[in-house]
Amino acid sequence: MTTGKNTKFYETPNHPYQGDRIAQEGDLIGRYGLKNKEELWRAQSQLRSMRREARRLLGDAQGDVDAAQAAGSEFVDRLRKMGILGEEDDISQVLSLDVTDLLERRLQTVAYRKGLANTAQQARQFITHGHVTVDGARVSRPSKKVTVDEEDTVAFDDSSPLSDELHPARAEAQE
């Protein structure tokens, strides 16, 4: 067994206190039902690496979008499959993405938008307690990125008491 370094999958902000940034982070955490700022910073770091890759591909092609599109076709296809880019979007659209584009693809947000829960926080609870399945498989990770193909398969587990439409926790969502 090897003991590797503990590495973070996110970068923290450069400055510890910036009122505007802290307010924006608080708004996003509340809106998307995130557990803490680490989850938001992880999404921001993923977005940064996507932008970095798009800039590298565009730079290698010396600004020629079509050449960069061809060179990064796997990269763009992966973003399309995840629903981050639309079918008609090209690689230059990656540079204009926002962190909300990534947060919208989380299982927690998809379950909430589908009406499985009344709030994003409740969707998170349902997922962590094992009530939600994706493509028939139980998933207990709210941060799972849901692809466009999987989006229609997000549902309550058949063995879950929440699969009953008359369950009290679901009553408000059905009104």
Side-chain angles (χ1 to χ4, degrees), residues 42-171:
R42 192 178 302 132
Q44 288 171 337
S45 292
Q46 288 171 346
L47 178 63
R48 234 184 326 269
S49 67
M50 288 175 190
R51 284 187 183 151
R52 193 175 297 127
E53 177 67 9
R55 275 196 310 270
R56 185 189 67 76
L57 289 165
L58 285 166
D60 289 350
Q62 296 174 347
D64 183 3
V65 175
D66 294 330
Q69 185 84 14
S73 61
E74 290 176 8
F75 171 65
V76 173
D77 289 344
R78 192 178 75 218
L79 294 180
R80 285 182 180 150
K81 184 178 176 189
M82 288 186 60
I84 295 171
L85 284 182
E87 287 302 317
E88 68 284 344
D89 291 343
D90 62 12
I91 196 163
S92 63
Q93 299 297 315
V94 176
L95 301 176
S96 63
L97 289 177
D98 190 35
V99 72
T100 57
D101 296 318
L102 266 70
L103 295 175
E104 285 290 334
R105 300 310 309 164
R106 289 168 48 99
L107 176 58
Q108 177 179 352
T109 309
V110 171
Y112 169 59
R113 299 269 188 253
K114 282 191 75 168
L116 298 181
N118 302 324
T119 64
Q121 289 82 357
Q122 188 182 41
R124 180 184 192 88
Q125 184 180 30
F126 288 167
I127 293 164
T128 57
H129 290 200
H131 295 294
V132 177
T133 61
V134 177
D135 209 8
R138 185 177 288 183
V139 178
S140 59
R141 219 177 75 233
S143 63
K144 176 188 177 4
K145 298 284 187 280
V146 179
T147 64
V148 176
D149 299 339
E150 294 173 330
E151 196 168 349
D152 294 335
T153 65
V154 174
F156 284 117
D157 188 7
D158 292 337
S159 63
S160 166
L162 291 168
S163 62
D164 178 14
E165 297 213 1
L166 299 175
H167 191 281
R170 290 188 59 188

Side-chain angles (χ1 to χ4, degrees), residues 16-52:
Y17 181 79
Q18 295 166 321
D20 293 342
R21 177 187 51 79
I22 291 172
Q24 287 175 335
E25 288 175 348
D27 176 51
L28 288 171
I29 287 171
R31 196 166 3 137
Y32 289 99
L34 304 178
K35 179 176 151 193
N36 52 33
K37 289 188 179 180
E38 179 183 322
E39 290 189 329
L40 177 61
W41 294 338
R42 192 178 302 132
Q44 288 171 337
S45 292
Q46 288 171 346
L47 178 63
R48 234 184 326 269
S49 67
M50 288 175 190
R51 284 187 183 151
R52 193 175 297 127

